[in-house]
């Protein structure tokens, strides 16, 4: 009997380990309300995010797509997921049936005709009855369009497509041969200087190719350079005829895009690439096995796990070349280069999680940050595609690097890393000059003064721990002292962290429930939230508040607070 039970346990374990976890991922979770999530196809940490764009302006469309919309303008190859600001949506393609090639080519769609899973997306376009399917490799987007019978079938390549946060400055489309189109899109938006190159191969040569812009399209041209270049490829299709399109991208050059394309997808088997993407996601999702009879909880969990692997993204060509932070062409020697470090959002939880679930990538993340520092001058704050946005507060590359080093990830130069960490802390940017001088940031000299002070304190504590590990005693003492500056903003009468003037007086009036605006003392929060932000010294905060029991009572009361929602920019998602 014991052998039978052992056999049963082994078989059950094998069957459980073979469960397809992708079925629990719903890429549409987060595409509604203020989720800012795209539903399209990508692979884990992939450079290509191939997803539908509605073509609608507005904050809720920062990912290019919102579930409330009923129109698709096309499918572009780069997207943010979950960010509160928009950019990207580069290199848009759209299949259509048009008599007039200059006519509007967007299409209505219904959610009942739309589906998505990790690495794959499909939708039927109502205006043309075309089935569009998308999948990807790391650097290549793969499209499969199933057309009806028509003499007016077309595929649009639109480099002028943009929304209110990004505008093309120069674009190019070149017809290399009837089935290969190359080009580039340079743009200015949240990224002040974004450059993306592409190479597109078609499984079928078109009858004709028109080049131009929205107002003028001409044939018999081989190349065009415009602010917003456009190509219209004209086909005659039979019923249910499939035309496949492969699009390789690069931050380096057209040659790099061609190389990425031909290296990653050298053939025309769409289903094979879709299966490869599925397998890549299955491997990553299987890092955690959840046992529960509640299928909805599995969906929530595995969709959340899926979302953790949409950023950072790989940002180099197959030969290792990438565009650096100083707009030069670099090569990653001994590491894979990554970008899209949304560090104010990710240093607290995502990056510590990566040390557990993605240990093979951690050294590459740190080396990418150090490379950006060499190219740009400072460790990244919020960078993407070789650009620094300087968005949000703190210097949160530092806790990511310290966390990695102290957990035993030593595949980077620790001395270089520590020097870069110190440089960020000793700069005069974003109130740091006042922080060092006053041992807090005065609210009459710098906006978001309380939040910045508290976050700098934590970052400095991380520098101290790195210094201690490296045997740098004087640095350890210096930055450990800086990590205590939070005490200078604690008001013992109200028990809140408060804005303080350069004179040493508290800033008035003071409302701990006030939702912050950009000219306030807090960053996307209020005093009730930020007064707890002392992760490096919880015991010290407990003492300041008056002991354990008083601390617990006050912590409980946080979740009973109601934030007043006054003004159009406030949101109920920043409450206790």
């Amino acid at each position: 009997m014991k052998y039978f039970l052992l056999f049963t346990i082994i078989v059950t374990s094998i069957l459980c380990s073979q469960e397809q976890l992708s079925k629990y991922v719903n890429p549409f979770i987060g595409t509604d309300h203020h989720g800012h999530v795209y539903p399209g196809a990508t692979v884990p940490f992939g450079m290509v995010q191939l997803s539908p764009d509605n073509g609608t302006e507005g904050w809720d469309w920062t990912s290019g797509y919102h579930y409330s919309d009923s129109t698709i303008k096309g499918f572009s190859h780069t997207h943010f997921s979950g960010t509160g600001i928009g950019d990207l949506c580069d290199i848009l393609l759209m299949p259509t049936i048009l008599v007039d090639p200059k006519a509007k080519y967007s299409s209505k769609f219904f959610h009942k005709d739309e589906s998505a899973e990790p690495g794959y997306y499909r939708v039927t376009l109502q205006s043309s009855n075309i089935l569009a399917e998308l999948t990807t490799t790391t650097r290549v987007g793969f499209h499969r369009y199933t057309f009806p019978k028509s003499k007016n079938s077309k595929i649009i390549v639109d480099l002028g497509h943009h929304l209110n946060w990004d505008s093309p400055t120069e674009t190019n489309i070149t017809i290399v041969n009837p089935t290969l189109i190359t080009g580039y899109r340079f743009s200015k938006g949240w990224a002040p200087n974004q450059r993306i190159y592409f190479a597109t191969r078609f499984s079928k040569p078109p009858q004709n190719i028109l080049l131009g812009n929205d107002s003028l399209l001409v044939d018999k041209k081989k190349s065009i350079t415009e602010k917003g270049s456009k190509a219209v490829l004209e086909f005659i299709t039979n019923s249910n005829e499939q035309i496949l399109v492969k699009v390789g991208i690069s931050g380096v050059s057209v040659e790099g895009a061609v190389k990425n394309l031909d290296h990653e997808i050298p053939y025309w088997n769409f289903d094979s690439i879709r299966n490869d993407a599925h397998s890549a996601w299955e491997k990553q999702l299987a890092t955690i096995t959840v046992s529960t009879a509640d299928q909805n909880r599995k969906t929530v969990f595995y969709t959340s796990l899926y979302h953790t692997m949409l950023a950072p993204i790989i940002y180099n060509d197959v030969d290792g070349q990438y565009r650096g932070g100083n707009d030069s062409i670099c090569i990653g020697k001994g590491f894979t280069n990554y970008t899209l470090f949304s560090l104010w959002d990710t240093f607290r939880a995502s990056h510590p999680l990566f040390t557990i679930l993605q240990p093979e990538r951690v050294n590459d993340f740190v080396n990418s940050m150090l490379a950006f520092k060499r190219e740009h001058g400072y460790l990244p704050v919020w960078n993407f595609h070789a650009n620094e946005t300087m968005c949000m507060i703190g210097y949160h590359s530092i806790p990511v690097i310290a966390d990695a080093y102290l957990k035993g990830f030593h595949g980077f130069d620790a001395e270089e890393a520590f020097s870069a960490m110190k440089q960020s802390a000793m700069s005069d940017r974003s109130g740091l000059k006042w922080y060092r001088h006053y041992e807090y940031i005065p609210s009459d000299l710098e906006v978001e003064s309380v939040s910045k002070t508290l976050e700098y304190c934590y970052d400095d504590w991380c520098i101290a721990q790195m210094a201690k590990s490296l045997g740098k005693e004087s640095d350890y003492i210096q930055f450990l002292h800086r990590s205590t500056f939070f005490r200078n903003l604690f008001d013992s009468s109200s028990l809140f962290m408060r804005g303080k003037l350069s004179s040493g007086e508290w800033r008035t009036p003071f409302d701990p429930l006030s939702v912050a605006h950009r000219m306030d003392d807090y960053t996307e929060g209020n005093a009730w939230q930020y007064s707890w932000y002392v992760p490096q010294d919880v015991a010290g905060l407990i003492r300041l508040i008056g002991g354990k029991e008083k601390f617990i009572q006050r912590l409980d009361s946080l979740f009973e607070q109601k934030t007043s929602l006054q003004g159009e920019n406030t949101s109920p998602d920043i409450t206790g």
Side-chain angles (χ1 to χ4, degrees), residues 38-51 117-121 134-138 277-278 280-281 306 309-310 313:
Y38 66 84
T42 189
V43 295
F45 306 95
M47 186 168 155
V48 168
Q49 309 87 38
L50 180 52
S51 190
E117 62 188 48
Y120 175 74
Y121 173 89
L134 313 174
T135 191
T136 74
T137 59
T138 299
H278 174 83
W281 278 112
Y306 165 80
M309 292 178 274
L310 299 183
I313 61 170

Side-chain angles (χ1 to χ4, degrees), residues 236-285:
I236 298 173
T237 56
N238 297 317
S239 179
N240 293 321
E241 181 175 352
Q242 293 181 339
I243 298 178
L244 283 75
V245 188
K246 301 182 290 189
V247 182
I249 65 171
S250 167
V252 175
S253 65
V254 165
E255 293 76 17
V258 173
K259 188 180 294 185
N260 292 340
L261 169 60
D262 293 340
H263 176 81
E264 292 194 352
I265 310 183
Y267 44 81
W268 289 101
N269 192 328
F270 181 92
D271 290 327
S272 175
I273 297 300
R274 177 186 172 184
N275 289 336
D276 289 345
H278 174 83
S279 296
W281 278 112
E282 284 295 330
K283 178 181 178 181
Q284 294 299 330
L285 294 170

Side-chain angles (χ1 to χ4, degrees), residues 131 142 159 181 209 214 222 260 285 415 497:
L131 172 64
F142 205 173
L159 305 187
I181 289 179
I209 302 178
D214 285 337
K222 293 296 183 184
N260 292 340
L285 294 170
E415 290 293 337
M497 300 289 180

Side-chain angles (χ1 to χ4, degrees), residues 17-23 44 118 277-287:
S17 68
Q18 293 176 344
E19 182 182 20
Q20 297 292 298
L21 299 175
S22 292
K23 68 182 180 182
H278 174 83
S279 296
W281 278 112
E282 284 295 330
K283 178 181 178 181
Q284 294 299 330
L285 294 170
T287 56

Side-chain angles (χ1 to χ4, degrees), residues 3-19:
Y3 292 117
F4 175 76
L5 289 174
L6 179 60
F7 174 77
T8 303
I9 292 170
I10 292 172
V11 171
T12 302
S13 298
I14 292 172
L15 291 175
C16 288
S17 68
Q18 293 176 344
E19 182 182 20

Side-chain angles (χ1 to χ4, degrees), residues 72-271:
I72 288 178
K73 184 179 181 181
F75 309 101
S76 64
H77 290 75
T78 60
H79 292 86
F80 285 136
S81 178
T83 59
I85 193 167
D87 206 305
L88 302 178
C89 298
D90 300 297
I91 321 299
L92 182 133
L93 271 66
M94 182 64 166
T96 186
I97 305 291
L98 289 176
V99 176
D100 180 2
K102 294 195 296 294
K104 184 178 179 181
Y105 59 82
S106 59
S107 174
K108 291 291 183 181
F109 76 103
F110 300 108
H111 291 305
K112 67 180 179 64
D113 299 322
E114 180 188 38
S115 63
E117 62 188 48
Y120 175 74
Y121 173 89
R122 63 179 281 159
V123 66
T124 298
L125 303 171
Q126 291 300 309
S127 65
S128 57
N129 196 31
I130 294 171
L131 172 64
E133 298 174 272
L134 313 174
T135 191
T136 74
T137 59
T138 299
R139 300 169 180 86
V140 184
F142 205 173
H143 309 238
R144 181 165 68 186
Y145 303 140
T146 303
F147 284 86
K149 183 176 182 179
S150 176
K151 295 181 180 179
N152 299 305
S153 296
K154 295 175 175 63
I155 296 177
I156 312 294
V157 179
D158 190 350
L159 305 187
H161 164 63
H162 68 283
L163 297 176
N164 56 1
W165 49 76
D166 170 78
S167 296
T169 55
E170 180 180 309
T171 67
N172 170 267
I173 298 176
T174 298
I175 303 171
V176 180
N177 61 53
T179 59
L180 176 61
I181 289 179
T182 63
Y184 58 81
R185 184 178 190 271
F186 301 161
S187 63
K188 181 178 181 180
W190 191 29
N193 179 29
Q194 191 204 350
R195 295 171 178 259
I196 184 169
Y197 301 83
F198 73 95
T200 304
R201 292 195 186 275
F202 298 84
S203 63
K204 175 181 177 176
Q207 301 295 117
N208 190 35
I209 302 178
L210 304 175
L211 293 181
N213 53 41
D214 285 337
S215 59
L216 179 65
L217 290 165
V218 296
D219 60 5
K220 296 183 173 59
K221 288 195 71 171
K222 293 296 183 184
S223 184
I224 185 170
T225 300
E226 290 262 353
K227 190 173 182 179
S229 300
K230 188 175 181 180
V232 179
L233 287 78
E234 300 180 320
F235 299 88
I236 298 173
T237 56
N238 297 317
S239 179
N240 293 321
E241 181 175 352
Q242 293 181 339
I243 298 178
L244 283 75
V245 188
K246 301 182 290 189
V247 182
I249 65 171
S250 167
V252 175
S253 65
V254 165
E255 293 76 17
V258 173
K259 188 180 294 185
N260 292 340
L261 169 60
D262 293 340
H263 176 81
E264 292 194 352
I265 310 183
Y267 44 81
W268 289 101
N269 192 328
F270 181 92
D271 290 327

